[in-house]
Amino acid sequence: MRTETVKISDKNRNTRTIRDAVERAGKILRGGGLVAFPTETVYGLGGDALNPESARKIYAAKGRPSDNPLIVHICRWEDLAPLVKEIPETAERLGKAFWPGPLTMILKKSDMVPKETTGGLSTVAVRMPSDRTALSLIRAAGGYVAAPSANISGRPSPTLAKYVEEDLSGRVEMILDGGQACIGLESTIIDLTEETPMILRPGYITEEMLSGILGKVETDKGIMPESSGIAPKAPGMKYRHYAPKADLTIVSGEEEAVVRRINELLMKAEEKGLRSGVIATDATVGRYQATLIKSAGNRQKEEDAARELYRILREFDEEKADVIYSEAFDESGIGQAVMNRLLKAAGHHIEEV
Ligand code: AMP
Ligand code: MG
C-alpha cells in the first residue's frame, strides 16, 4: 500500500485542495481503511469505530494486542449519546469543562459499538479532540473514529508526522501532517462507570482540574510511581510502552546533586565504551559531558517536557544511544504525566540522590 502524506496548516486549511484531501481521508475511513491524523495530544491511527474490520486493521497495523481497547473520537456532543448506555451527570459536567480537549471518558457502551473496538469490554473510551484537522476528519468520516496512538506498539507515541511515517508507512492509506502535536502526551483517561470517578492515565487535564469540577476523584493505584507491582485498570497501561532502545535511568534530587551524579554515571558509561545520552533542561544542558545531550526545555514549564519527551526518546533511538540518563521533573500540573511516561520508559528505574 502506498501512503500519501498531506500537509495541513492554518494557512492552507481552507483551500480547495486541503478540503478535498480531508474529504478523501474521510471516505477512506468510511470504506474501512486507515488514516493517521494529528490531535493536540499525539498523532492518532484512525479507523471507523463502528466497523469491526477497521478495528482489526488498526491492531494489525500497530502490532497491538487486541485486548487493548481503542479510544472513540467524536466531533460533536450530540454524537456521544448513541455510543453509550447513559450519559452520567459527571460526564456532562466534564464535557462542558474540557471538551473539545485532551480528556477521555470511560462510559458504559451501547450495542452500537463493536466489541472489537473496545477489546471485548462492556465500556467504551470516548474523547472529543480540539485539533481542527482531527475534528474535520471525524466529521468527514461520519462521526466516529477509533484511534490509538499512531506508533508501532511499544514505541513512543508520535508527536510529529515524520515519526508516523517511520512506523506506519505502507500500513495506512493517508497521513495528515499537522506539524508538532502541541501537548505531546496522550489524553487523561477518567473512568466514570463506578461510584467515584477514577483517573486511569494522567495527562494534561490534572487530578486537581478534574476534582475542581467533580469533587471527589481517585487515581488508579496501578499508575502511581511507587506501585509498579499493581496492575493498572486501563488495559493499555500494563504494557511496557514508550520504551527507547537504550537503557534509561532517571536521577532525582536537588539540581546540583543530580548534575554531579549524572556526570559520574556518564564517566562510567564512557569507560565501558557506551554511547551515552542525557535528558537535561535549559538550565543544565551545558553542564554535562556526553555524546548526546538534549534539553526538555524550561524546568519551570512542565509543558515543555511534555511536548518534547517523545521526540527526544525517538532521537536517542535514531542516534543509537546505549544508555540515557534523565533528570526527574517536577510533578505539578502535566509534570505528573511526564513522570508517569518517563518512569514507564525507564522500566521504573529511578535513583534518588
Ligand atoms: P492509546 O489509544 O494509545 O492512547 O491508548 C488508549 C488507552 O486507553 C489504553 O491504555 C487503553 O487500555 C485505554 N482504554 C481504552 N478503552 C478503555 C476502556 N473501555 N476501559 C479502560 N481503559 C480503556
Ligand atoms: Mg499508545
Side-chain angles (χ1 to χ4, degrees):
M1 176 191 305
R2 203 185 73 83
T3 300
E4 177 190 359
T5 299
V6 177
K7 279 197 186 345
I8 304 185
S9 66
D10 284 333
K11 281 209 182 79
N12 71 7
R13 186 181 305 287
N14 287 320
T15 61
R16 184 65 190 266
T17 324
I18 294 303
R19 283 208 303 262
D20 285 353
V22 172
E23 279 312 311
R24 232 170 346 110
K27 210 166 154 195
I28 292 170
L29 292 174
R30 278 183 275 128
L34 304 182
V35 173
F37 62 97
T39 81
E40 69 277 22
T41 57
V42 298
Y43 275 75
L45 166 59
D48 179 354
L50 307 182
N51 179 349
E53 195 46 45
S54 299
R56 276 193 281 271
K57 277 192 196 162
I58 290 174
Y59 291 120
K62 272 184 74 91
R64 177 175 179 137
S66 59
D67 68 343
N68 188 357
L70 309 172
I71 295 174
V72 178
H73 293 70
I74 59 174
C75 62
R76 304 180 310 176
W77 177 258
E78 309 84 278
D79 294 334
L80 176 62
L83 285 177
V84 298
K85 278 231 163 79
E86 61 193 350
I87 300 180
E89 198 238 329
T90 46
E92 262 177 53
R93 275 194 273 157
L94 291 180
K96 276 213 184 80
F98 301 118
W99 274 7
L103 178 70
T104 297
M105 301 190 224
I106 309 282
L107 298 162
K108 291 186 179 132
K109 86 172 193 68
S110 71
D111 293 339
M112 185 170 95
V113 187
K115 64 178 188 321
E116 284 78 0
T117 299
T118 65
L121 297 177
S122 57
T123 54
V124 61
V126 192
R127 168 170 168 228
M128 191 194 300
S130 63
D131 183 276
R132 288 180 63 187
T133 303
L135 291 169
S136 326
L137 175 68
I138 298 163
R139 195 171 309 117
Y144 299 102
V145 176
S149 50
N151 53 284
I152 295 284
S153 217
R155 301 263 292 143
S157 297
T159 52
L160 288 159
K162 68 171 180 176
Y163 296 135
V164 181
E165 282 173 348
E166 230 173 76
D167 281 15
L168 299 177
S169 200
R171 297 171 184 236
V172 295
E173 290 185 50
M174 207 191 259
I175 298 172
L176 303 180
D177 177 353
Q180 184 168 14
C182 61
I183 293 179
L185 295 180
E186 304 82 351
S187 58
T188 305
I189 301 181
I190 187 160
D191 184 348
L192 299 175
T193 63
E194 306 282 343
E195 183 80 3
T196 309
M198 185 181 278
I199 298 169
L200 305 189
R201 177 169 76 184
Y204 181 83
I205 307 291
T206 60
E207 180 172 348
E208 229 185 337
M209 292 157 84
L210 292 164
S211 59
I213 303 290
L214 297 181
K216 193 167 152 51
V217 170
E218 285 174 357
T219 295
D220 178 12
K221 292 211 167 42
I223 59 171
M224 309 288 247
E226 64 275 13
S227 57
S228 55
I230 303 174
K233 289 198 161 46
M237 298 295 281
K238 70 176 181 275
Y239 296 106
R240 183 167 182 245
H241 255 176
Y242 328 117
K245 289 171 190 147
D247 249 348
L248 169 61
T249 302
I250 304 164
V251 181
S252 164
E254 292 295 327
E255 184 171 298
E256 282 312 307
V258 168
V259 171
R260 204 174 327 116
R261 178 60 182 150
I262 290 183
N263 273 319
E264 249 170 53
L265 291 165
L266 287 169
M267 284 226 314
K268 286 189 190 155
E270 192 186 319
E271 280 162 20
K272 290 188 203 150
L274 296 174
R275 199 171 156 78
S276 55
V278 179
I279 304 179
T281 48
D282 289 349
T284 55
V285 74
R287 304 185 55 197
Y288 294 108
Q289 280 129 42
T291 323
L292 313 160
I293 306 168
K294 298 180 195 291
S295 172
N298 182 335
R299 167 159 299 288
Q300 268 67 52
K301 284 165 62 194
E302 288 79 33
E303 317 86 79
D304 281 5
R307 200 179 52 243
E308 303 305 334
L309 178 65
Y310 288 149
R311 178 182 62 77
I312 289 176
L313 292 177
R314 282 192 177 246
E315 283 177 6
F316 279 133
D317 278 355
E318 283 163 28
E319 293 158 354
K320 306 218 171 343
D322 300 307
V323 287
I324 305 168
Y325 302 106
S326 178
E327 296 179 8
F329 295 90
D330 195 79
E331 299 230 5
S332 67
I334 196 175
Q336 193 200 1
V338 173
M339 282 307 288
N340 168 266
R341 309 310 196 271
L342 193 58
L343 277 160
K344 288 184 80 171
H348 287 269
H349 192 189
I350 182 162
E351 228 188 80
E352 307 280 346
V353 290

